[in-house]
């Protein structure tokens, strides 16, 4: 069991039969859980699960419709001095320095200035940020901003820390440091509740609750949840992965040997109730189809398996609306789609990209990984003709040099890190605009638009103003808008940042389908579990 | 990509095999996890140690079957009780962290400085 060391198993938080209604919408529907002192407790669930409402009630900034939330025995609203709350949005003053932000928060929370100074120094040192005390908050990287926000939340020395998706947009090195700091603080007795859409982060919690449509469906340690699934995972390697996937999917069904199939870049993950039986069924089917399987091995299921399987049992299927493909790029197969030689970009004395060579062929998915500031976005901008290289050559969609021509532009799709959509247009107007820019033939537009709406879960909401949508939904529309014209080359810069696991899965299923149809795809991501795809 | 350069390229499996060839991931349960993290981080490169709930992930230099024994010995020396040590699998994140760390040690990158 996950009893944190050096702390009594005292109850820190008790939530009992909690409800929250907004008009007709029931955001939280009678949830109950406890968190022990010194525990890291994770709330995981898709967008709209009710996690943020739960946090707002625990933080005492919103009233519940029914039920109770207690922190160290007192109602959450009366225990606000005990809680620190980090919201999804960046909540610091960009034009104040790191130190000034800390002093300002200390003042607000009425902590004596000398105490604020001492604690500020201590936490900045703990997070490796002491050298940046004088820097403007607006000029920090994503990871450092989050560490500063955490420092500000810690300065009043709360006993409970509430973190609502604290690592969105934070690179892997900073993410690991952030979680190392959380583990350290929890070991010192701080109680932490954290929501995250990233299931590798959920592995770092002592216990986790899986939330969906306002209800909690499973609670336990990550190991208990994995064991509770009653399934094993087979990793299948095979040269003809697309065929193997179709084969495994044909064995899926109630009581059958296959519960779930997920495609990764160089393997399939097949979830099965019984590994021996699952392996036999797969091998038999492969033999009948004359499909050689290179390797098959058993492993424990992941939290992602638990998540997807549980939601599927609840009837939430990542809707696989078939993409209305009208063009096949198979003829281009194996030719170079994106090429770079000696690619270099300097901004004054700063070398952002140094001598990069790469070659990506049609039908390939290429992941570009790196910390913030490693040069990924600059590289992408040069590759797709948005930025002139200082040195070196680019080859794109069959053209050299003239990569900014109209002809090339209609063959590529680009989804930028910041939303490429117009916030003050409706969803429909955005889709019409991009269909026009990318030259989608008029007779295909309607089918494509309907597909994007289905993929985004926005059917019937096409008249809504894009800016009013939650981030995860906007990402889905932006992704859809970038592929409506069936580009032969697709650039995706952090496409899944802030997107929940089910939607992320739908993104990757689509990416693989596009690659199978011959599209070359370059993706950047901070989430390395998806780089495996 | 690190500091503007492509440092490693290949399939996910290929990168793991190549970059982590002489390393292994040990999953460790001890009676006092955070104390174990702090102690091991003083003994070795801090990036090799991370706490996942009540389990430690330790990236050890592969020393045949002795890696686990050596680790258990060093934990006991710190007065910790070792409950379980078993082999785990590297995630691509483990690989990423170790590639970036190597670049950092070679002075190729001053992380977050350029932000």
């Amino acid at each position: 069991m996950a009893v944190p060391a050096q702390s009594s198993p005292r109850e820190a938080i008790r939530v009992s039969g909690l409800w929250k209604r907004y008009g007709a919408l029931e955001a939280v529907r009678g949830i109950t859980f406890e968190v022990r002192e010194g525990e890291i407790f994770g709330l995981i669930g898709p967008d709209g699960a009710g996690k943020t409402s739960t946090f707002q009630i625990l933080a005492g900034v919103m009233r519940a419709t029914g039920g109770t939330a207690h922190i160290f025995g007192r109602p959450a609203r009366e225990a606000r001095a005990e809680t620190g709350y980090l919201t999804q949005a960046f909540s610091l003053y960009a034009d104040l320095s790191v130190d000034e932000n800390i002093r300002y928060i200390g003042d607000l929370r009425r902590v004596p200035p000398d105490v604020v100074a001492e604690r500020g120094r201590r936490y900045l040192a703990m997070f490796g940020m002491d050298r940046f005390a004088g820097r403007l908050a607006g000029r920090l990287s994503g990871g450092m901003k989050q560490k500063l926000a955490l420092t500000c939340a810690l300065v009043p020395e709360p006993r409970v820390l509430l973190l609502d998706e604290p690592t969105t947009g934070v690179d892997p090195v900073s993410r690991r440091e952030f979680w190392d700091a959380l583990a350290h603080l929890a070991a010192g007795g701080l109680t932490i509740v954290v929501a995250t859409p990233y299931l590798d982060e959920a592995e770092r919690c002592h216990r986790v609750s899986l939330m969906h449509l306002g209800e909690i469906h499973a609670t336990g340690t990550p190991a208990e949840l994995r064991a509770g699934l009653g399934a094993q995972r087979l990793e299948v390697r095979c040269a003809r992965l697309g065929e193997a996937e179709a084969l495994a999917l044909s064995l899926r069904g109630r009581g059958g040997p296959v519960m779930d199939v997920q495609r990764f870049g160089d393997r399939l993950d097949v979830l099965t109730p019984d590994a021996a039986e699952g392996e036999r069924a797969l091998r038999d089917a492969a033999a009948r189809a004359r499909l050689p399987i290179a390797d098959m091995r058993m492993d424990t299921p992941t939290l992602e398996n638990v998540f997807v399987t549980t939601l599927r049992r609840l009837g939430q299927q990542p809707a696989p609306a078939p993409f209305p493909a009208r063009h096949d790029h198979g003829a281009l197969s194996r030719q170079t789609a994106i090429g770079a030689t000696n690619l270099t970009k300097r901004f004054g004395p700063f070398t952002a990209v140094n001598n990069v060579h790469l070659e990506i062929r049609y039908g390939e998915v290429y992941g570009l990984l790196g910390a913030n500031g490693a040069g990924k976005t600059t590289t992408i901008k040069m590759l797709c003709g948005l930025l002139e290289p200082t040195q070196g050559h680019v080859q794109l969609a069959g053209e050299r040099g003239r990569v900014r021509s109209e002809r090339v532009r209609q063959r590529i799709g680009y989804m930028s890190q910041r939303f490429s959509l117009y916030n003050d247009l409706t969803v429909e107007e955005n889709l019409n605009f991009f269909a026009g820019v990318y030259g989608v033939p008029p007779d295909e537009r309607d089918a494509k638009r309907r597909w994007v709406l289905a993929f985004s879960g926005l059917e019937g909401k096409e008249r809504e103003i894009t800016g009013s949508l939650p981030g995860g939904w906007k990402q889905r529309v932006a992704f859809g808008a970038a592929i409506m014209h069936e580009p032969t080359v697709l650039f995706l810069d952090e496409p899944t940042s802030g997107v929940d696991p089910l939607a992320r899965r739908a993104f990757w299923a689509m990416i693989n389908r596009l690659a199978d149809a011959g599209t070359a795809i370059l993706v950047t991501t901070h989430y390395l579990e998806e780089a495996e795809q | 990509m690190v500091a503007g350069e492509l440092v490693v390229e290949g399939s996910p499996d290929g990168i793991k095999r190549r970059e982590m060839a002489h390393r292994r991931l040990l999953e460790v349960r001890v009676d006092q996890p955070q104390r174990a993290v702090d102690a091991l981080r003083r003994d070795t490169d801090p990036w090799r140690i991370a706490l996942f709930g009540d389990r430690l992930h330790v990236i050890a230099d592969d020393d045949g079957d002795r890696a686990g024994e050596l680790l258990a010995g060093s934990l006991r020396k710190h007065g910790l009780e070792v409950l379980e040590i078993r082999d785990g699998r590297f995630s691509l994140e483990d690989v990423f962290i170790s590639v970036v760390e190597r670049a950092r040690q070679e002075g190729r990158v001053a992380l977050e400085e350029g932000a």
Side-chain angles (χ1 to χ4, degrees):
Chain A
M1 272 305 291
V3 179
Q6 298 164 320
S7 74
S8 55
R10 188 153 67 119
E11 182 181 286
I13 298 174
R14 171 174 288 270
V15 169
S16 180
L18 195 70
W19 280 82
K20 179 66 196 181
R21 276 191 208 94
Y22 305 93
L25 176 75
E26 293 181 322
V28 179
R29 297 153 39 102
I31 60 170
T32 296
F33 63 89
E34 297 113 57
V35 184
R36 290 185 289 269
E37 190 171 22
E39 192 174 30
I40 304 179
F41 184 82
L43 273 183
I44 58 178
D47 295 336
K51 294 170 300 198
T52 297
S53 295
T54 305
F55 274 104
Q56 288 173 338
I57 294 167
L58 282 174
V61 298
M62 187 171 76
R63 274 184 200 282
T65 312
T68 55
H70 281 85
I71 288 174
F72 289 110
R74 286 155 60 205
R77 285 185 83 84
E78 293 168 24
R80 282 167 69 169
E82 311 276 14
T83 51
Y85 178 29
L86 212 66
T87 58
Q88 281 171 25
F90 179 59
S91 55
L92 302 166
Y93 293 91
D95 48 358
L96 294 186
S97 72
V98 167
D99 256 350
E100 287 164 344
N101 266 290
I102 294 171
R103 276 209 299 276
Y104 179 74
I105 294 291
D107 257 12
L108 272 185
R109 301 293 294 252
R110 302 204 178 123
V111 183
D114 52 325
V115 178
V116 172
E118 183 275 317
R119 289 177 186 169
R121 267 197 307 275
R122 178 152 46 93
Y123 290 119
L124 288 180
M126 183 191 290
F127 303 142
M129 277 184 54
D130 25 357
R131 289 172 298 143
F132 302 106
R135 187 178 286 196
L136 288 183
R139 301 199 47 201
L140 298 172
S141 70
M144 285 207 286
K145 276 178 187 159
Q146 286 308 80
K147 287 189 223 163
L148 172 58
L150 186 58
T151 301
C152 289
L154 288 168
V155 158
E157 302 229 309
R159 293 162 78 195
V160 170
L161 195 57
L162 306 167
L163 307 172
D164 194 0
E165 304 199 355
T167 62
T168 299
V170 175
D171 75 59
V173 175
S174 300
R175 237 154 49 96
R176 186 165 276 208
E177 287 168 358
F178 190 87
W179 276 90
D180 286 345
L182 294 188
H184 189 85
L185 292 163
L190 184 66
T191 305
I192 299 172
V193 185
V194 56
T196 175
Y198 300 105
L199 297 168
D200 57 340
E201 293 192 343
E203 297 272 0
R204 299 199 65 169
C205 298
H206 293 111
R207 283 189 311 138
V208 169
S209 267
L210 206 160
M211 212 172 162
H212 177 55
L213 293 177
E215 295 178 60
I216 285 178
H217 291 281
T219 300
T221 65
E224 285 167 353
L225 290 182
R226 280 196 298 268
L229 188 59
Q232 281 149 329
R233 187 166 61 90
L234 290 170
E235 290 187 356
V236 181
R237 287 176 169 80
C238 169
R240 285 140 63 190
L241 213 54
E243 290 171 60
E245 183 185 17
L247 198 71
L249 281 170
S250 73
L251 298 172
R252 192 173 69 177
R254 194 168 284 276
V258 171
M259 296 161 70
D260 191 23
V261 182
Q262 192 177 8
R263 164 115 165 240
F264 290 84
D266 49 8
R267 66 163 206 266
L268 285 185
D269 266 16
V270 177
L271 206 61
T272 170
D274 181 294
E277 198 191 312
E279 173 160 2
R280 198 161 46 239
L282 274 171
R283 285 200 187 276
D284 286 353
R288 277 197 303 277
R290 296 178 194 286
L291 187 69
I293 287 183
D295 181 38
M296 206 183 295
R297 67 178 77 165
M298 195 191 84
D299 210 330
T300 51
T302 62
L303 271 185
E304 150 116 24
N305 295 140
V306 174
F307 186 90
V308 171
T309 306
T310 307
L311 293 190
R312 192 166 278 155
R313 280 178 190 150
L314 295 167
Q316 177 92 8
Q317 184 80 346
F323 182 67
R326 301 287 165 80
H327 309 273
D328 184 52
H329 313 311
L332 296 166
S333 176
R334 308 316 293 164
Q335 296 178 42
T336 299
I338 308 170
T341 45
N342 300 99
L343 200 61
T344 297
K345 183 71 192 178
R346 293 190 201 95
F347 297 104
F350 174 64
T351 304
V353 174
N354 190 20
N355 204 21
V356 163
H357 293 260
L358 59 82
E359 186 188 3
I360 304 170
R361 287 191 273 265
Y362 289 104
E364 264 183 357
V365 182
Y366 185 98
L368 191 57
L369 314 178
N372 286 329
K376 291 169 299 179
T377 298
T378 308
T379 302
I380 286 196
K381 284 185 174 162
M382 287 191 286
L383 290 175
C384 65
L386 290 172
L387 192 67
E388 200 65 41
T390 310
Q391 212 175 291
H393 298 283
V394 172
Q395 180 189 343
L396 180 65
E399 302 273 342
R400 284 171 193 279
R402 286 170 304 159
V403 297
R404 299 171 84 162
S405 72
E406 182 83 359
R407 218 157 61 82
V408 170
R409 209 171 64 214
Q410 301 210 340
R411 283 193 223 142
I412 68 168
Y414 175 48
M415 178 180 170
S416 70
Q417 208 173 83
R418 305 232 158 80
F419 304 118
S420 27
L421 302 173
Y422 292 94
N423 272 329
D424 45 358
L425 296 184
T426 65
V427 172
E428 193 170 39
E429 287 164 344
N430 262 301
L431 294 179
N432 289 339
F433 174 78
F434 281 100
V437 168
Y438 280 133
V440 177
D443 60 323
E444 294 179 14
R445 288 189 187 180
D446 193 48
K448 293 283 166 52
R449 224 169 18 223
R450 270 185 285 127
W451 178 81
V452 177
L453 292 171
F455 178 81
S456 317
L458 288 172
E459 285 154 310
K461 296 183 180 162
E462 52 269 39
R463 300 270 155 78
E464 290 197 12
I465 296 293
T466 306
S468 69
L469 298 173
W473 270 280
K474 264 196 274 192
Q475 294 282 88
R476 291 181 230 184
V477 176
F479 177 71
I483 65 170
M484 275 193 295
H485 60 301
E486 300 181 40
T488 55
V489 179
L490 183 59
F491 294 94
L492 303 170
D493 197 1
E494 297 286 341
T496 61
S497 184
V499 168
D500 76 47
L502 282 184
R504 204 154 358 126
R505 220 174 162 173
F507 269 56
W508 277 97
M510 195 59 223
I511 288 170
N512 282 322
R513 203 163 308 143
L514 291 169
D516 282 349
T519 303
I521 300 160
L522 190 153
V523 194
T524 71
T525 178
H526 285 329
Y527 297 95
L528 295 166
E529 56 177 18
E530 73 182 20
E532 305 249 0
Q533 310 215 19
Chain B
M1 203 166 174
V2 177
E5 297 182 15
L6 279 185
V7 289
V8 179
E9 195 180 25
S11 71
D13 266 359
I15 289 179
K16 278 188 207 172
R17 266 198 309 274
R18 221 169 40 241
E19 292 303 312
M20 305 308 250
H22 301 292
R23 288 178 172 163
R24 68 203 289 178
L25 181 73
L26 297 172
E27 292 189 10
V28 187
R29 287 199 310 123
V30 292
D31 57 342
Q32 298 174 65
Q34 186 63 45
R35 250 199 68 210
V37 169
D38 296 341
L40 291 175
R41 287 190 155 179
R42 280 192 299 271
D43 293 352
T44 178
D45 309 325
W47 62 269
R48 291 171 179 270
I49 321 292
L51 189 55
F52 282 69
D54 60 347
R55 287 170 301 134
L56 270 69
H57 281 194
V58 178
I59 297 175
D61 285 328
D62 196 351
D63 196 12
D65 295 330
R66 292 192 55 226
E69 269 174 53
L70 286 175
L71 180 62
S74 118
L75 286 165
R76 288 195 195 97
K77 217 165 55 210
H78 288 291
L80 292 147
E81 189 188 342
V82 179
L83 305 174
E84 185 190 11
I85 294 187
R86 62 171 188 191
D87 276 305
R89 282 199 184 224
F90 289 118
S91 66
L92 210 49
E93 179 166 297
D94 294 320
V95 182
F96 181 91
I97 302 274
S98 70
V99 168
V100 171
E101 277 301 329
R102 199 184 57 210
R104 196 179 338 209
Q105 279 161 17
E106 289 167 2
R108 304 262 292 275
V109 52
L111 234 104
E112 309 236 37
E113 293 281 0

